[in-house]
Amino acid sequence: MSLAALRPIVICGPSGTGKSTLLKKLFDDFPGKFGFSISHTTRAPRPGEENGVSYHFTTRESFLDLVKADGFIEHAEFSGNMYGTSVKAVEDVAKDGGKKCILDIDTQGVKLIKQHHPHLNPVYVFIAPPSLASLRTRLTGRGTETDSSLSARLAAAIGEVEYAKTGAFDVVVVNDDLERAYGVLKGIVVENKTEGDKLPAFEE
Ligand SMILES: Nc1ncnc2c1ncn2[C@@H]1O[C@H](COP(=O)(O)OP(=O)(O)OP(=O)(O)O)[C@@H](O)[C@H]1O
């Protein structure tokens, strides 16, 4: 398949909106068609982890060199180790792996790609909840949140929805009924369709 047909797919949407659920269905249905990029990290490999497979293991010095060279789409430090998604790792999924790269990132990451790495030319997909009330129900139902993490995620969701309202995404998928939403997502990422759903007004 041509590299143009293997444009990376950026999947973005509020926490709890169902991104992982939808992507799991896609990976299960189309084994070998999609891939995630391999991240860089400065942490030491654990037993069984292979360089270039689990992660690109690197020294802090080379990691920082790559940061300076604007080689990362996003990077962050967690408990003393640096982690990042490099531009090259995303390109390699198509070039070396022959797969479409799926990037599950937040709106900050979307903004960084648009500002610093537009040549990646991804298809930007926003996964929207049907309403903020349903997002609250899903996050509560998942059983992973405390009161404060729930409030933080809902506050972040409002900011993400506001960003989506600016037209930053090529296409929107409203995850109301899972099978219906999956059908729309599949149309976009497998059949290269450009029609999605209308972004809800979120006026509650
Ligand atoms: N269409 C749907 N209808 C009802 N529940 C759903 C639907 N899609 C997903 N869910 C449920 O909503 C919860 C959140 O889904 P999921 O974990 O996939 O969200 P996420 O967007 O990946 O969140 P995060 O960004 O925090 O990883 C899960 O419990 C999931 O089973």
Side-chain angles (χ1 to χ4, degrees):
M1 199 185 290
S2 77
L3 283 181
L6 292 176
R7 284 173 73 190
I9 309 282
V10 162
I11 300 282
C12 182
S15 172
T17 206
K19 301 178 297 292
S20 314
T21 308
L22 287 163
L23 289 180
K24 182 173 184 318
K25 280 174 81 64
L26 194 67
F27 275 65
D28 287 351
D29 270 5
F30 298 94
K33 189 171 172 64
F34 300 99
F36 289 118
S37 56
I38 298 165
S39 299
H40 281 61
T41 182
T42 60
R43 82 152 163 74
R46 300 193 180 117
E49 284 184 336
E50 208 181 310
N51 189 30
V53 179
S54 320
Y55 279 100
H56 296 293
F57 293 101
T58 175
T59 62
R60 181 167 278 260
E61 197 186 6
S62 342
F63 193 103
L64 292 174
D65 283 346
L66 200 53
V67 171
K68 267 195 220 131
D70 211 8
F72 285 106
I73 291 170
E74 53 181 5
H75 63 90
E77 184 153 0
F78 298 107
S79 40
N81 296 307
M82 312 212 51
Y83 295 84
T85 304
S86 75
V87 174
K88 183 172 183 303
V90 171
E91 291 169 339
D92 282 351
V93 176
K95 277 192 198 149
D96 299 343
K99 296 179 181 178
K100 265 194 201 190
C101 182
I102 304 265
L103 280 159
D104 179 351
I105 54 178
D106 61 13
T107 48
Q108 199 53 39
V110 170
K111 289 175 191 170
L112 289 174
I113 295 178
K114 288 185 180 240
Q115 280 165 12
H116 295 280
H117 312 287
H119 76 278
L120 280 177
N121 191 28
V123 179
Y124 294 98
V125 182
F126 188 70
I127 311 290
S131 65
L132 293 174
S134 66
L135 186 62
R136 172 186 285 274
T137 308
R138 275 180 210 174
L139 280 168
T140 313
R142 194 169 66 172
T144 49
E145 309 306 317
T146 61
D147 280 355
S148 71
S149 73
L150 179 66
S151 309
R153 281 175 203 268
L154 288 172
I158 292 168
E160 285 161 341
V161 158
E162 288 305 317
Y163 180 58
K165 283 183 184 170
T166 67
F169 294 89
D170 295 312
V171 62
V172 172
V173 177
V174 178
N175 186 15
D176 38 22
D177 173 75
L178 184 61
E179 290 307 321
R180 191 208 67 82
Y182 177 63
V184 176
L185 180 67
K186 201 165 63 170
I188 296 158
V189 303
V190 179
E191 294 152 37
N192 301 320
K193 287 189 183 162
T194 51
E195 280 290 297
D197 297 321
K198 200 170 164 296
L199 190 67
F202 296 112
E203 274 162 352
E204 58 258 76

